Amino acid sequence: MRISSRRILRSTTAAGFAALIATAAHAQTESQQSEARAQEAGPSGDDIVVTATKQGAVRLGDVPVSITAIDQKMIERAGMDSFLDYVRRVPGLGFQSLSAAGARDDIRGGRRVNLRGIESGFDGVPTVAYYIDDAPIPVMDPKLFDIARIEVLRGPQGTLYGANSMGGAIRLVMNRPEQNLFDYRGDATLKVTEHGQEGYELNSVVNIPVVKDLLAVRAVGYYRFEGGYIDNIRAPDASGKSQRDRDINDERSWGVRVAAEFTPTPELTITPSVFHQNTKIPFGSGYDSAYGDLVVYDRKVGTPERNHFTLYSGEIRWTDDNWEIFSSTAYFRAKFSSIEDNTNSYYHYGEIEAGQTQLALQDINSKRFSEEFRVSYKTDRWSGVVGAFYLKEDRFFWQDFPRADGDPDLPSFFNGTQANTEQQFAVFGEGTFNFTDTLSATAGVRWFTGKQTQDTQFYYDGVLDPVVGKGSASALSPKLQISYKPDKEKLFYVSATKGFRPGGPAGAIPTPLCSPDLAELGLTAAPTEFQPDKLWSYEAGAKMSFGRRASVNLAAYRIDWTNVQQTVLLDQCGFTFIGNVGKARSQGVEAELTLNPTDRLSLTGSLGYTDAKFTRSNPDIGVLAGDRLPLVPRWTLSASAQYSFPLPTGHDGYVLADYSFRDRSLNGFSSHEQKSYSLVNARFGAKMSDKVEVVLFVENVFDTRGQLYYYRIEDEGNLPPSLRDNTIATRPRTFGLTLRYGL
């Protein structure tokens, strides 16, 4: 089945491509050829316009902040579709991905992200803020279709983005409805993954001008089927035969996004929108890497996961000469449900007998309301923004461990609920004064106050073990910066910025179940609260462009981090709590380069070096001075090359290759490391007409098993060594064909 399907795809690709070339050859004119070539001349990296400063659209090269910006053209050309596709292009970014559906980490959607070594810990408060437009949400994974721009702000952004941005912030900027333009675009993709199944994608967007100069609507829809590639090898039956369940980890997702733009006056714009996405998988992508490649051994039940979220948002913008008044109101809802198979670990530690299955059922619901109101002002001498922010979030977590022996007369081995609430309020301001045409000073401050509560009702063998926790904090986060711009193409700056993260309930631990682990730490009970942490970041940077041919962005930084919050794992019972583990320091350099040697050749690259270590020991939980922070790669590297060329059809084609490297990083739960790896992707695209484009691609050209997650059971026990490793890796080599159509 797999072989014949792959042959069908390749033969269909070749035949379809030849037919399209033949058809389009009759439809081109010299003027169309000239227009297509002109469109290939994209802006240099510093010419991309960003809105991350919350003071309107600004050219990237004029912003004295370290920002990686990826525009829509590059998103589409490089075939970016998910979180994993763009984070590899950001210098100094570390991450761990547990599941396409989000796994059970409700705060971050199953994805841990750190920038410049400021790592949150598995269950900790995030250190990187995540936004869709101006709405703060958890690090979900919206599909990247009809996205205007991705902006990644590196370094503390506490003045403008709040307490969860100690390491930085990520913004996905959506395309807005366009007045007086009817437009339609769509694409379809067919692909085949080696060692696995076929997959396909469908995307479409339509922009409708409902009332001229007054109302426009933009609607986006998409569907994904990602073929599975993990096989389940069953234990031999009585005759000695072993069954193989193939490709068990497929993924299905779909989404709808609708936005309207109402402009009753030239100064006033009102933009309501709704965005919904649904993702489900029948089996996780982790495999028994010591047992074999892309296989698990004798999983008796499926481990389905489902995650769906809805974001309702409304923006109101009023502009007049030098002023802008802006309001962003958002309501975010998410629901996650899953079944985990914990049989291996429970059997290993003797909690269940051979042949039994230990499941964990869980359900998570979260609701988040946020409001940000701000006023910005800009003249030749002064510019600035002041505003207020409010957030309220409720999260409810339910979990049940049914008895592995199936005895209906006894209660569940473990079950319970956990309800969390959080409220934040902040006021902020940031202003810049231009002493001269070349010298400027910026100062900003944010005052934050917040509180959290946690009510846990855990039952261990039917016995209630309740835990109630709470936490509150207030803080000031200042920022100072000097920038020097000798001419339009060069910018130099230095800055000092404070980052802050509130404390809160430490996480509920069932004492009867986890008492042996707690005793190893010298504890009779787990801490009920953890304290705030803070940092100071010192940065020097330069942004230089040389016409349209080249641009270089450089930054060097040092971050001193105190009272560091990290996750403490209790190995045997499997629970975690958040504790303050001491001090740390992160220092490094980053570079981003864009070269356009000719109008048809474009080269980009980024390099990050991050040295992040603890500077104070906490031997009770195994942290020693000099230890590296978890999940922080020392080196990150990315590069891409794109060359466009004329086709006999009169339009242009292009070839694009990109490379990324991630250094090894320490696993957050053990001394084991996630290994370093490199990925290479290649794409060939051809414009068949003004409306039709065909793209052939190969992702993960060398079929690399880049580790996105790795964990090994260290202790001796019942499991053989071949079943103690669990790995989640990059998707194997994938071949595909995309057909795009647009008016």
Side-chain angles (χ1 to χ4, degrees):
M1 174 64 179
R2 297 184 202 165
I3 296 176
S4 61
S5 297
R6 191 170 293 119
R7 288 175 177 170
I8 289 172
L9 174 63
R10 290 171 178 168
S11 61
T12 302
T13 298
F17 189 61
L20 282 168
I21 290 179
T23 301
H26 298 286
Q28 306 307 306
T29 65
E30 286 300 318
S31 62
Q32 290 173 323
Q33 175 184 348
S34 176
E35 179 183 351
R37 289 182 179 179
Q39 291 175 348
E40 289 299 315
S44 67
D46 282 349
D47 287 334
I48 297 175
V49 172
V50 297
T51 54
T53 61
K54 301 190 177 184
Q55 298 183 50
V58 185
R59 177 178 168 269
L60 180 60
D62 296 331
V63 181
V65 178
S66 295
I67 302 177
T68 298
I70 307 172
D71 63 8
Q72 181 175 354
K73 184 175 181 180
M74 180 52 69
I75 293 172
E76 293 180 351
R77 279 285 173 92
M80 297 183 192
D81 188 57
S82 70
F83 169 86
L84 294 176
D85 294 324
Y86 65 82
V87 293
R88 295 189 181 100
R89 292 175 173 257
V90 181
L93 186 149
F95 66 91
Q96 185 179 71
S97 181
L98 300 180
S99 168
R104 69 177 182 90
D105 184 357
D106 60 312
I107 298 178
R108 284 173 298 274
R111 293 161 186 86
R112 290 171 64 181
V113 185
N114 65 76
L115 283 161
R116 294 185 170 177
I118 309 304
E119 159 60 22
S120 64
F122 182 75
D123 286 322
V125 179
T127 58
V128 176
Y130 193 80
Y131 282 74
I132 292 181
D133 290 325
D134 282 86
I137 69 168
V139 186
M140 296 296 176
D141 195 6
K143 302 304 180 184
L144 302 180
F145 178 70
D146 198 44
I147 305 294
R149 191 170 59 256
I150 300 169
E151 300 174 356
V152 182
L153 294 80
R154 309 190 304 275
Q157 306 296 323
T159 301
L160 295 180
Y161 288 91
N164 292 352
S165 60
M166 292 178 70
I170 298 174
R171 295 183 70 227
L172 300 187
V173 182
M174 306 292 152
N175 278 322
R176 305 172 67 88
E178 295 186 59
Q179 301 285 350
N180 306 325
L181 173 67
F182 179 79
D183 188 26
Y184 170 80
R185 292 187 298 112
D187 62 61
T189 297
L190 178 64
K191 54 188 177 182
V192 172
T193 298
E194 283 200 22
H195 322 285
Q197 284 178 301
E198 302 80 7
Y200 59 90
E201 303 173 6
L202 299 170
N203 301 297
S204 64
V205 57
V206 61
N207 190 94
I208 303 173
V210 180
V211 180
K212 184 178 180 181
D213 297 326
L214 182 65
L215 177 64
V217 175
R218 192 177 189 91
V220 174
Y222 54 81
Y223 184 86
R224 304 279 187 278
F225 175 75
E226 300 286 354
Y229 52 86
I230 303 293
D231 292 351
N232 181 24
I233 300 177
R234 300 280 188 171
D237 58 20
S239 65
K241 294 182 179 180
S242 179
Q243 180 182 344
R244 191 179 186 108
D245 304 326
R246 297 186 179 275
D247 308 326
I248 58 177
N249 65 317
D250 58 75
E251 171 199 344
R252 298 176 188 269
S253 60
W254 61 272
V256 176
R257 188 170 72 245
V258 180
E261 186 159 285
F262 178 53
T263 54
T265 71
E267 298 83 14
L268 180 63
T269 302
I270 302 171
T271 311
S273 66
V274 60
F275 183 11
H276 177 83
Q277 180 171 290
N278 191 311
T279 302
K280 59 182 180 179
I281 60 176
F283 199 95
S285 295
Y287 64 96
D288 299 329
S289 49
Y291 180 76
D293 184 32
L294 302 178
V295 296
V296 294
Y297 180 72
D298 199 29
R299 299 295 196 269
K300 294 180 172 59
V301 296
T303 53
E305 298 178 12
R306 182 174 180 179
N307 189 351
H308 59 87
F309 69 81
T310 305
L311 173 64
Y312 305 91
S313 63
E315 296 182 357
I316 302 175
R317 190 185 308 269
W318 182 84
T319 57
D320 184 23
D321 297 331
N322 301 325
W323 292 89
E324 179 177 275
I325 300 175
F326 179 82
S327 169
S328 173
T329 306
Y331 180 66
F332 178 84
R333 298 186 63 175
K335 183 175 182 178
F336 172 81
S337 59
S338 73
I339 298 175
E340 292 182 359
D341 186 353
N342 294 328
T343 301
N344 278 2
S345 60
Y346 274 71
Y347 172 69
H348 183 73
Y349 288 110
E351 299 287 343
I352 62 175
E353 298 177 3
Q356 294 181 342
T357 299
Q358 181 61 64
L359 301 179
L361 289 67
Q362 45 220 354
D363 192 78
I364 302 168
N365 289 273
S366 63
K367 302 176 183 179
R368 174 184 289 194
F369 172 82
S370 65
E371 165 64 31
E372 179 165 307
F373 178 82
R374 62 181 186 258
V375 179
S376 60
Y377 176 73
K378 188 172 185 178
T379 65
D380 291 340
R381 185 67 68 182
W382 283 95
S383 64
V385 59
V386 295
F389 174 80
Y390 174 78
L391 180 144
K392 184 179 188 299
E393 183 168 15
D394 297 294
R395 295 191 300 274
F396 184 81
F397 173 64
W398 168 86
Q399 189 173 47
D400 182 54
F401 285 65
R403 299 194 69 88
D405 57 17
D407 191 332
D409 297 325
L410 294 175
S412 292
F413 170 59
F414 170 84
N415 68 350
T417 63
Q418 180 173 300
N420 292 73
T421 64
E422 180 180 6
Q423 291 191 65
Q424 296 182 17
F425 176 74
V427 291
F428 60 90
E430 184 173 296
T432 299
F433 179 73
N434 302 318
F435 295 102
T436 69
D437 292 339
T438 59
L439 183 63
S440 302
T442 298
V445 67
R446 187 184 190 99
W447 177 78
F448 162 91
T449 184
K451 60 181 180 180
Q452 302 178 54
T453 63
Q454 178 176 280
D455 184 358
T456 302
Q457 303 290 316
F458 280 162
Y459 292 83
Y460 176 62
D461 277 336
V463 179
L464 176 63
D465 185 19
V467 178
V468 177
K470 62 181 180 179
S472 62
S474 299
L476 281 174
S477 295
K479 171 184 177 179
L480 295 172
Q481 181 175 273
I482 300 293
S483 58
Y484 175 65
K485 192 172 178 62
D487 57 53
K488 181 181 178 180
E489 296 187 332
K490 296 179 181 63
L491 172 66
F492 306 92
Y493 64 91
V494 294
S495 66
T497 308
K498 182 182 178 181
F500 172 83
R501 188 169 48 156
I509 302 297
T511 302
L513 178 63
C514 298
S515 55
D517 292 288
L518 294 171
E520 290 183 6
L521 301 179
L523 301 173
T524 57
T528 59
E529 184 178 355
F530 60 94
Q531 300 303 311
D533 56 356
K534 61 184 178 180
L535 58 78
W536 274 97
S537 173
Y538 310 95
E539 179 177 349
K543 297 187 175 185
M544 298 172 285
S545 58
F546 306 91
R548 298 182 61 84
R549 294 303 181 193
S551 65
V552 181
N553 297 335
L554 304 171
Y557 60 88
R558 170 174 164 156
I559 300 173
D560 294 319
W561 192 3
T562 58
N563 220 22
V564 177
Q565 298 173 14
Q566 286 288 290
T567 301
V568 180
L569 172 67
L570 305 177
D571 288 297
Q572 296 185 46
C573 71
F575 280 80
T576 64
F577 67 87
I578 303 172
N580 299 94
V581 301
K583 293 184 178 181
R585 176 178 299 148
S586 180
Q587 51 195 3
V589 294
E590 299 161 347
E592 294 180 297
L593 171 68
T594 299
L595 292 175
N596 298 304
T598 72
D599 290 341
R600 294 193 174 277
L601 178 62
S602 177
L603 308 173
T604 67
S606 71
L607 176 68
Y609 172 77
T610 308
D611 181 24
K613 296 179 179 179
F614 290 103
T615 57
R616 177 180 292 179
S617 298
N618 191 333
D620 289 341
I621 59 174
V623 172
L624 300 177
D627 286 352
R628 293 159 51 199
L629 267 72
L631 297 182
V632 179
R634 182 170 279 118
W635 291 97
T636 58
L637 173 66
S638 71
S640 70
Q642 177 180 281
Y643 180 73
S644 61
F645 51 88
L647 294 170
T649 63
H651 284 81
D652 274 5
Y654 67 89
V655 290
L656 171 65
D658 63 74
Y659 167 85
S660 63
F661 169 78
R662 309 202 69 76
D663 206 354
R664 67 184 187 274
S665 61
L666 186 68
N667 190 303
F669 287 154
S670 71
S671 59
H672 282 85
E673 292 182 323
Q674 293 182 200
K675 297 178 181 178
S676 61
Y677 65 92
S678 297
L679 289 179
V680 176
N681 304 310
R683 306 177 72 83
F684 167 70
K687 196 82 170 174
M688 299 293 93
S689 70
D690 290 340
K691 299 180 179 180
V692 178
E693 181 180 3
V694 175
V695 181
L696 303 174
F697 61 86
V698 183
E699 296 174 345
N700 194 358
V701 172
F702 298 105
D703 202 23
T704 301
R705 302 289 180 268
Q707 289 184 341
L708 306 178
Y709 170 82
Y710 173 74
Y711 179 66
R712 176 174 176 81
I713 299 176
E714 300 277 5
D715 301 326
E716 292 298 321
N718 293 328
L719 280 178
S722 61
L723 297 181
R724 296 183 194 174
D725 288 23
N726 185 259
T727 298
I728 299 175
T730 52
R731 176 171 285 272
R733 179 165 45 223
T734 299
F735 301 90
L737 163 70
T738 297
L739 177 65
R740 293 195 178 109
Y741 178 85
L743 296 179

